[in-house]
Amino acid sequence: MALVFLLCRQPAARADAELRIGWGALERLVAEHAFTDEGRHYLRGGKEAKCGFAYLENPRVDTEEGRLRLKAQFTGRSRVNLFGMCVGPGDSFEVTILAMPQYRDGAIAFDNVEVYITAMPATVIMFARCVRT
């Protein structure tokens, strides 16, 4: 009976409690929920597309000035199947995505998203076309 009395005397839990998630846990969540196709996140096409696809893989998550920083390898091809051969450009480079994680409607959302790439101008255009769709 004394235990019940002590529990009843404890202050009620606050509804606006703060939940902290470490960067390692967030990296696992991103990898498990966004990179679901053999460790890849397809932006265009899929693993069955031989000549036209774009995907991100090998995600690494950490922080930069309080923001989430996701680094991943982008690989893409924008080719045409010509007599059974893929003809056209393809490239692979690292992409850095910065964002501010926010809790919204029961899920983690990202605000103030910025994308940085270091690649040749033609590759940047191909990447931008893949991300827009």
Side-chain angles (χ1 to χ4, degrees), residues 101-118:
Q102 301 289 324
Y103 178 79
R104 190 179 305 130
D105 298 326
I108 296 176
F110 299 101
D111 291 333
N112 304 322
V113 177
E114 298 174 19
V115 178
Y116 298 95
I117 58 176
T118 305

Side-chain angles (χ1 to χ4, degrees), residues 48-53 77-89:
E48 66 284 341
K50 301 296 180 211
C51 294
F53 60 83
R77 281 189 183 168
S78 184
R79 299 180 178 184
V80 176
N81 188 334
L82 185 64
F83 304 113
M85 295 177 55
C86 294
V87 179

Side-chain angles (χ1 to χ4, degrees), residues 7 34 47 55 60-61 79 104 125:
L7 289 175
K47 62 182 174 185
Y55 60 83
R60 296 167 316 280
V61 176
R79 299 180 178 184
R104 190 179 305 130
I125 293 168

Side-chain angles (χ1 to χ4, degrees), residues 26-88:
L26 194 53
E27 182 173 32
R28 286 188 297 278
L29 284 171
V30 167
E32 290 173 8
H33 295 281
F35 291 77
T36 58
D37 199 350
E38 296 178 359
R40 296 177 176 167
H41 176 76
Y42 279 89
L43 303 167
R44 175 172 287 173
K47 62 182 174 185
E48 66 284 341
K50 301 296 180 211
C51 294
F53 60 83
Y55 60 83
L56 296 172
E57 66 181 344
N58 301 322
R60 296 167 316 280
V61 176
D62 60 4
T63 181
E64 181 176 300
E65 297 177 9
R67 298 171 68 191
L68 174 131
R69 178 175 53 204
L70 169 72
K71 288 188 175 190
Q73 188 69 26
F74 170 84
T75 301
R77 281 189 183 168
S78 184
R79 299 180 178 184
V80 176
N81 188 334
L82 185 64
F83 304 113
M85 295 177 55
C86 294
V87 179

